[in-house]
Amino acid sequence: QKEVEQNSGPLSVPEGAIASLNCTYSDRGSQSFFWYRQYSGKSPELIMSIYSNGDKEDGRFTAQLNKASQYVSLLIRDSQPSDSATYLCAVIPFSGGYQKVTFGIGTKLQVIP
Amino acid sequence: GAVVSQHPSRVICKSGTSVKIECRSLDFQATTMFWYRQFPKQSLMLMATSNEGSKATYEQGVEKDKFLINHASLTLSTLTVTSAHPEDSSFYICSARVFNRDNEQFFGPGTRLTVL
């Protein structure tokens, strides 16, 4: 089982819709969760971090964390064509010492005008 | 804040030459920096973790004698690809973790290496 799993997509949504991106992780003791956006040919950009169960909102983005289900999601409201990118879920597994970020394969999002 | 720069952004070299890539944290001190490699349409692959003042920790399968990492100061880490070959052509990205920022990790813009 992969440590961080994401559907590679592509996920296609019409402009103005809500895009829902999902991620599951295997290490139940994980404490830190991140969403990165990566445009084609560019490096990843941190867009959200979440550490506690529940929702965290930042503008059009909402991160949701459910540690019991080992599930983290990212909602993008009012999706725009400029949101078309690959979204990487990242988790720091509980290792007790050195903390290394583990990335999912990423979900490609396509927002259709 | 939390800006990471990388230089050069793009390099083309002949097979057998060595290439040095610099990674700098511009507005914060980074005790730990990370080097990733990404092939087209593939996920990020962590190559090594660079700690200021000590030896880098390499991931399994990454040749430490081929990918030399030096983290000489709290704001600079370098990756040298020695005796580069066409199979080393890839997108190399560094990142840095901000101390006391809840493990948030910020990426540099990346270096695209093409070995002819």
Side-chain angles (χ1 to χ4, degrees):
Chain A
Q1 181 186 6
K2 293 181 181 177
E3 294 181 62
V4 179
E5 295 211 44
Q6 293 182 262
N7 188 321
S8 61
L11 171 67
S12 295
V13 299
E15 183 175 355
I18 296 175
S20 178
L21 303 161
N22 305 313
C23 171
T24 57
Y25 59 94
S26 60
D27 188 330
R28 184 170 290 278
S30 299
Q31 298 295 323
S32 304
F33 308 86
F34 311 92
W35 283 100
Y36 288 83
R37 176 176 61 198
Q38 186 175 22
Y39 291 111
S40 180
K42 303 294 185 182
S43 67
E45 172 192 9
L46 179 66
I47 53 174
M48 291 286 286
S49 57
I50 188 167
Y51 308 96
S52 304
N53 278 329
D55 295 359
K56 179 181 178 182
E57 186 175 320
D58 184 1
R60 294 187 296 113
F61 299 98
T62 299
Q64 299 176 318
L65 175 61
N66 184 326
K67 290 185 179 180
S69 301
Q70 295 174 238
Y71 176 93
V72 58
S73 65
L74 179 69
L75 301 178
I76 306 175
R77 290 182 298 282
D78 188 25
S79 295
Q80 301 297 309
S82 58
D83 294 326
S84 298
T86 296
Y87 289 80
L88 303 171
C89 174
V91 177
I92 296 183
F94 179 75
S95 64
Y98 172 64
Q99 297 179 318
K100 182 172 65 177
V101 176
T102 299
F103 287 87
I105 194 171
T107 298
K108 185 174 183 178
L109 174 66
Q110 295 176 340
V111 181
I112 311 300
Chain B
V3 178
V4 179
S5 72
Q6 219 174 310
H7 178 81
S9 59
R10 186 179 295 268
V11 59
I12 301 173
C13 69
K14 293 182 178 180
S15 184
T17 60
S18 294
V19 175
K20 179 185 281 190
I21 303 170
E22 291 188 350
C23 177
R24 293 182 185 272
S25 56
L26 297 185
D27 53 359
F28 66 100
Q29 293 184 330
T31 54
T32 305
M33 290 184 172
F34 305 89
W35 288 96
Y36 292 84
R37 181 167 54 181
Q38 188 174 39
F39 293 105
K41 300 190 186 302
Q42 294 189 21
S43 188
L44 292 168
M45 187 195 83
L46 178 65
M47 298 176 66
T49 301
S50 169
N51 296 294
E52 187 267 336
S54 64
K55 291 182 179 181
T57 302
Y58 290 82
E59 295 300 302
Q60 191 172 7
V62 177
E63 301 175 58
K64 62 180 181 180
D65 294 331
K66 181 169 184 64
F67 299 99
L68 301 178
I69 291 172
N70 183 19
H71 194 154
S73 75
L74 287 173
T75 58
L76 173 64
S77 176
T78 60
L79 168 69
T80 301
V81 183
T82 62
S83 186
H85 291 284
E87 58 266 29
D88 298 322
S89 298
S90 188
F91 190 41
Y92 291 86
I93 316 171
C94 72
S95 72
R97 190 169 288 172
V98 183
F99 182 68
N100 283 340
R101 275 278 299 260
D102 292 322
N103 291 315
E104 287 183 341
Q105 197 166 307
F106 297 88
F107 286 85
T111 297
R112 192 162 301 282
L113 171 63
T114 302
V115 184
L116 303 176

